[in-house]
Every structure is written in C-alpha cells, then in structure tokens.
Amino acid sequence: MHFTFTPILASGKPAITNVSSNFKVVIKIAFGFMLTMLFLNYNATAQTGTGTVKGTVKTADGKSAEFVNIVLTNTKFGATAGQSGHFTIKNVPAGTYTVVASFIGLQSQTKKITVSAGETTTVGFVLTEGAKDLQEVYVKSARHNKFLKKETEDVARLPLKNLENPQVYSVVTSELMKEQIVTSYADGFKNIPGTGVPLVYNNGRTTLLSRGFVTGNFIRNSVAGYNFNSIDPADIEKIEAIKGPTGTLFNSSLASFGGLFNRVTKQPNETPRTEIAYQTGSFDLNRLTADVNMPLNKDKTVLFRVNAALHNEHSFQDAGFNRGFFVAPSITYIINDRLSVDVDAEIGNSNATSAYRLAPDIKGKTYNVKDLGIDYKRSFGNNSVDYLSRQIDLYSLINYKISDHWKSQTMFNKTFSTTKGMVTAFTLVDSSKQIKRQATQEDYPYYITNVQQNFIGDFKIGQFRNRIVAGLEYYNQKSNNTNVTVSTPAISYLDPGAAYNSFTADKVSALVAAAAPKPGDYVQNNQSSYAAYVSDVFNITERLNAMASIRIDRFVNKGAYTPADGKTTGNFSQTAWSPKFGLVYQVVKDQLSLFGNYMNGFNNVSATSFDNTPFKPQYANQWEAGVKVDAWDHKISSTISYYDISVTNTTMDDPAHPGFSTQAGTQLSKGIEAELIANPFNGFNIVAGFAYNNSKITAAAPGTGLQGLRPANSGPARLANLWMSYRITHGKVQGLGFGVGGNYGSDSYQTNTAAFKFTIPSYTTVDATVFYDQPKFRIGFKLDNLTNEKYWSFRLAPQNPTRGTLSMSIKF
C-alpha cells in the first residue's frame, strides 16, 4: 500500500490526499471495529441476570497498584486497575468465579468470589514483590509512570538506583514500544535522546549515534550479542542506552566512545500468559508475533517462555523486501533459594535485499542530497539481488547466592551470525549525472564466544556501605569472509531507461564468475580479549557515595590471514587500562541528586599503517556533571547533564599513502543531554529528550583537510524526541488511548572536508496513534511520518514516507 499525507491547510482543505482505496478499507475496518467494541461495552448494561465486581489492588506497603490485570479465569471478563488501584467489571453473569490479579514484578494473587444478579461483589488484593522479579523501586514507579524503568543492575552491574548512579543512561520499555506499534528494532530508538536516524548496513545490521559517535548494537543481556544482521524486536523487554565511554565494565570492542546499547530480552515469570498479535499496513507489511509464558511445574520452579515472529514487508521504493522468521525460547530453573539458572536462545532466518547506500561524487558540484534530483522512490536495485542471513544466539546465566552479602554471577554467550548472497552499494558520477551500481557476492559468517564471571558484594565496613563487583571476561571473535565485488556499467540516475533493469542476479553472478581471483577474496580473522575489572560504590554518608572502577584488557588480534598466499597482516597485541570515578550527592533523599563522573574508554586499532607500525589504542576521557530527578512519587523522572569527551590517537586516512591510515589526530565531543519521563496526571504520559553535540577534529594529519571540522559521521548537532499519550483509566471507555509525538534533527554532513562538503538537510517527523487496550485484547492504529517528510540517513538512504500500521492482539 502507498499513501501520501500533506498538512491541514489554513483554508480548511483536507490534509490527506492520494490515499489508496485499500488503505481506506483498512482505516474503516480499524475504526469500525473499535467503535463496535465501544458500543458493545456501553450497551452491555442493558443485560439482565448479571452483577458487578468491584475492588482495589494495593502493594504490601499499602500504596495503590496501577495497571494490574484483573481477570475472571475461563471467561472474557476482566479489567485493569486504574491509578487509584480501583477496578470495576460490569455485567458479569451470576455464578462463582476465580479472580486473578497479576502484574510483572508482583506475585500473582487468586481469590474465589460469588456474583449475584443485580448486586455488587467487592474483592481486594494485596500483592507482594516476587523473589525473582524486579526491584521494589521499579514496581512502585511502574504503578504511576508506566514508561519509567530506570532501576536496573545492568549499568553498574550492582544493585544501584538511578539516583545513586553517577552514569547517565536511558531505558526504552516494551510497553512504550507496544504503544508505538514498533515492528522494527531500530524504531525503538526514536525515544532515546541523541540517537538520530538509524544507519542500516547492507546486511540489515543497524548503528545509531551516541554523543556524536557511531554506536553499534552488539550487546545482549550485558554480554556480547554480536548480531551481524537485523534484530527482531519480538524478544525485547527493554533497550538500555548507556552513555559515555564504558570500557570499565563492558567489552570495549562492542562499544563506542559515546556509549553502548544493551538489548535486554524477555524472561520467564510465574504468571501464565499468552499474547498473539498481528500487524498489517503500508508497504505490504504482514507480521505475526506470539509471546507464551508458563510455569512447567506446580512449584513454579521451572519457568518457560517463548517469543516468535513471522515478518514480511516490502520497501516503499520500487524494489526491496525483508522476509524473516524468528523464535526465542527461554527457561528459568530455580534449583533452590540460592541457585537459579537461566538459559535462552535467539534463532532467526531472513531473506532480504540490501539497504540503500549512496556515495556522492567528491569531485562534483552538487553539495546537498536534495539538489541531486534523484527520484526518492527509485531503489536502483532488483529483488533478485538479495541475500540470506542466519542467526543463532545462545545465552546462559547462573546466579548463586554465596552468602547474605555475596553472590556469584556466571554468564556465557555463543553467537553464530552469517550473511550469504549479494549486497549492494551505489556511487554517483556528478559530471554525467550517472550512478554506478556495485554488488558484492559474499559469504560472511561470524563466530562469537563470550564468558563472564562476576562476584557481587553488598556489605558494610563499620558504618560504611560497600557495593562491589569484581569480574573476569573472555571474548573471542572469528570470521571467514568470502567476497568478490563487481560493478555494472553506469546509468543515468535522472532518466535511466531500459538500462535501469540491467542490475540482476544473473548478470552479477556472470561478472563474479568472470572476475580474476585475488588473494583477498577469502580472508580469515581471529581476535580475542582477556579482561579483569573491579568497581566499588562506597557510601560516605547516607546521601553521598563515591564510585571507583578500573579494568585491564589484553587484546590479541591474530590478523587477517589469506590462505591463497599464506600471508597474515594486521596482527598485533595490546594491553590497556580503563579507570572510572564518580560522585553522587542526594540533595533530597530519593528525589534529587547531583552527580559527576570521569570515565575512560579505549578502542584497539586494527587499521594498517604504510610502514606496518602497530597503532596504539585510542583513548577517550570523559568529564560529566549533571542532575537527576525522581520526584512526586515517581511521576517525574529527569536527567540533565553536560559532558566533555576528548579522544587521542585518532586514526584517519593517510593522504600521502592511499589505502593506508595514519594515527595523528585528536577529537573533542562535548554537549548537553536532557531527558524527561513524566506522568503529570492520571493516564497522561510524556517521554521527551534533547541532545546538543559539538564535535570537531582538534588535530589532524597534514593534507587530510579535517582540522577544526565536525566529523561527518557525528550526525546532526541538535536532536530532539517527544512522545505524549493519554489513556482513559475509568468509565465505560477505559483503555481507550491516543498518542502523538515526533523527532527532529538539524542538518548534518555525509562528507565534511576542507575540499568537499555534502549536506543532509534537517528533518522533522510527526507520528500519531490511537488504541483500545483491554485485559483480553488490544487494537491500535499508528501513523508514522504524518507530514510525509523526506529525510535521509548518513548513507543517503531515503527514509519511509507516511506509513500506517494496524495492530491487533489477543491476550489469555
């Protein structure tokens, strides 16, 4: 389906034009179904022989519990507790029922009730926190601010609240992604300050921005989850964006100097629950997902959960598609009150075409992507030029309580990720208004092994509390890259004619077969790192605590081995230290804190110098200060900070020796970040962020033309995000909700040197949704990019025009 939106004009003319008849049908069905549900709910009061069930839900501390699901088992009747903890279920046929109250993070509770015709039955629940579930502070905040899930042990590897942590981080919850009908993992990052437009690589892998640095998605459940392909969001419980150089507690090979993104997967819990969802919409989207959770024994010591997805979608352009299957089973075995084992897997297969990738002509006279005149909807590709990908990600976690003050945490991850087929890239020839189309026939498997052993303590020395983590980590990454790159004759990108269809799999395969073999057609890579680290949070007073951390890494790169000639290049070994310090003072206990930190991160450099001299590790040093707020009983959560990151030993292209690199640069990245997650009144939620980043090359090798300029891959200097939604929590239309928001990015560069600059213009996108959420079902409709804004990624890939998605799910 395709449709185009234009804004509402002052004259009052309709804002929607050129909407396909198919999409009009979808809209009518969606809203017709929603109105039918509302009508049935409203008129149900006319039924006879029924009664009403009312009640309240509280937690063990006596506070009201919001969003708790109330279900009469084996019936269609249920409700969701409002912010005051009250719920009402009307028109329940007379009889005896079992009522279950459940919420993630709380122990489920079951009660028997009898409903009499024309009468009201009252029942109350008091729910307590489960032994395996999230921290108490999260449970409390989730009752009021449903998109707030800041309390996590992943960031510091310690039981440390957000207000106690001197590091800045953002968390995107599965609840927020569900409300926004996120069908693509990258779309979840719209809610993280400073991430920008996703950069999609030829095999579906995505990176985004963090503090002006390109940052990958290589970490899953706090260890390596190196997925070289696209990531399906079906198994995502939350996305954690940890800001700044994070080399102390995380593998530096998988993070950038701006931070890292940790995807946390859904884990089994004690409440039986199944949700099946279907999404359909623009560009032939058809997506089916399932989330099944159940205990496997009566004692609820063996818990099972599986998430699965079938996805099929075409591009808005004339060619391009993505078809995939994904399944993620997980088991938790609670052996006793000291020992538990989690085992899970992510298994995926997909068939897709490459993401659009375009390079400008650095000798040309066109300096802005809008001025090229390229048709936004032309892919310049062909659906036969595609690739297959496969992912198998195995993960296990063993938690053992050594004593009341110490626990052991052992994590193991094994990943196989591969791409096999054809990936593409395009280059412009500005003088002749032509485009060169290039294809690479590749077989590129990755093999990853990651093992971590942590010992975590929480104890007092005298009156001073210490929370400490000490650990060891081993990481190994191997790859065997087979690739042959060929090009087809250039064609006009303004008027390509019949030659437009000449880029096919058969022609690419013929060119690959005719290409002269080279030693670099098959390359083996093998690199490992061995690390030890320790981090301690020391409470000087009840309100003042200090963090001190250090890590040592031994990095061994065996280099790139080409069996054809028996040569190995780029092999080296390096040792690097990474310290971190932080201070936090809670001005108002558990509500307002001031913090500051110094953080150090490093990257091992594997580039090649002209004289084969090994490069030193790149180091980044960050100084940061700010304020964190968690006030009004968790209704307002905010972080505002200023950071300054300086990078030494920066590598760049060697102008004197093309194809080689030189290490003669330094870089500065500084700026302001602000985030707000709020629930100012019942049912109304806000997620907002702003990021300003000032990056520049402060020293560069002569002849590079980079001195004093902003690195092109730093993205827009200003980025903003906003999402506001309102959900009716009482009355006959309880569960009906609306949401609106958008994203802004200032202009940026695809290339930025003294000799040539190529600009990507600023953009503003607007999204909106309407939904009806009930205990037994949910229906929602989302419009992305309402104004049909044309905007591009760093690789000059045109982004989706207006897109509609209808989502329907059943829950039981």
Side-chain angles (χ1 to χ4, degrees), residues 40 139 188 220 228 244 258 313 536 548-549 597 620 642 726 743:
L40 292 173
V139 174
R220 171 178 177 261
F228 200 64
E313 186 176 12
D536 182 30
S549 313
N597 67 59
Y642 170 81
Y726 177 67
N743 291 80

Side-chain angles (χ1 to χ4, degrees), residues 368-497:
N368 190 305
V369 64
K370 277 191 172 182
D371 297 333
L372 290 174
I374 292 183
D375 190 335
Y376 199 77
K377 297 176 184 177
R378 283 193 188 273
S379 68
F380 293 94
N382 186 288
N383 282 339
S384 67
V385 183
D386 62 351
Y387 64 86
L388 299 171
S389 66
R390 181 183 300 173
Q391 167 206 353
I392 302 174
D393 201 344
L394 304 175
Y395 169 83
S396 67
L397 168 65
I398 302 173
N399 277 313
Y400 178 68
K401 184 179 179 181
I402 301 172
S403 68
D404 290 341
H405 301 290
W406 286 94
K407 74 174 182 178
S408 167
Q409 185 183 73
T410 306
M411 291 180 282
F412 172 82
N413 192 83
K414 187 77 174 180
T415 299
F416 169 72
S417 182
T418 185
T419 302
K420 186 174 184 178
M422 302 175 186
V423 297
T424 61
F426 309 140
T427 306
L428 295 178
V429 182
D430 198 9
S431 59
S432 58
K433 302 300 179 184
Q434 289 186 313
I435 185 170
K436 294 179 179 179
R437 296 182 289 182
Q438 174 183 294
T440 300
Q441 179 78 49
E442 73 172 27
D443 184 357
Y444 209 155
Y446 276 89
Y447 306 88
I448 309 295
T449 303
N450 194 189
V451 182
Q452 280 189 21
Q453 173 60 54
N454 294 320
F455 295 97
I456 301 170
D458 188 347
F459 56 90
K460 286 188 175 182
I461 299 177
Q463 61 179 356
F464 301 108
R465 182 185 182 186
N466 284 264
R467 281 166 285 184
I468 188 170
V469 56
L472 300 170
E473 180 177 25
Y474 167 74
Y475 174 79
N476 176 259
Q477 175 180 311
K478 297 178 181 178
S479 63
N480 302 321
N481 184 9
T482 301
N483 69 88
V484 178
T485 300
V486 296
S487 296
T488 60
I491 63 171
S492 168
Y493 61 75
L494 296 178
D495 184 20

Side-chain angles (χ1 to χ4, degrees), residues 27 50 53 78 86 174 184 228 306 311 341 457 461 480 524 555 577 584 653 676 715 732 768 770:
I27 293 176
T50 63
V53 178
H86 290 86
S174 57
S184 166
F228 200 64
V306 61
H311 187 101
V341 179
I461 299 177
N480 302 321
Q524 297 178 339
F555 184 78
W577 295 83
V584 177
D653 292 338
L676 171 68
K732 297 176 181 178
V770 59

